Amino acid sequence: ILNGYDKDNKTLIIKEVDKNSNINIGDDVLTSGLGGLFPTGIYIGKVENIVNDKYDLSKTIYIKTNQDFDAIHYVTVLGEKND
C-alpha cells in the first residue's frame, strides 16, 4: 500500500514491507488488484531505493515513476467490464 510521496526525490513510498520480501532495486512495481478497487497489473514504476528501518524489522521502498505528480489534477482508472 502506497504511504506517501517524496517531493524532493519524486518517488512514491511504501513503508513497513516485510524484511524478508524478495524486492530488489530495479524491480517493476505493478498494482496487485487486491481489494478489488484497481485492476491487476497496472504499471506504477521501478524500485529505486530500499531502506531497512532502524530495528531491521521492515523495509521502506522508494518507487520512481515516469509521472510528474505536480502536474496531475485528476486520475481515472479504466478496466474491463465483467458481466
Side-chain angles (χ1 to χ4, degrees):
I1 298 175
L2 293 175
N3 298 102
Y5 180 68
D6 182 336
K7 278 187 163 187
D8 295 332
N9 295 315
K10 297 189 181 212
T11 54
L12 299 171
I13 302 169
I14 302 177
K15 295 182 178 180
E16 298 181 13
V17 175
D18 185 334
K19 72 173 187 171
N20 297 317
S21 297
N22 186 19
I23 299 172
N24 300 296
I25 292 175
D27 285 353
D28 288 336
V29 178
L30 309 171
T31 56
S32 68
L34 294 174
L37 188 59
F38 300 103
T40 302
I42 297 174
Y43 179 78
I44 302 298
K46 288 195 177 289
V47 175
E48 183 171 88
N49 195 11
I50 303 168
V51 177
N52 292 327
D53 75 354
K54 64 182 177 179
Y55 302 109
D56 197 30
L57 298 174
S58 66
K59 302 176 187 180
T60 298
I61 310 298
Y62 295 87
I63 302 165
K64 188 70 167 183
T65 68
N66 293 330
Q67 311 307 317
D68 179 2
F69 285 94
D70 293 327
I72 294 176
H73 299 285
Y74 299 98
V75 175
T76 302
V77 176
L78 303 175
E80 288 184 29
K81 181 179 179 182
N82 294 326
D83 293 326

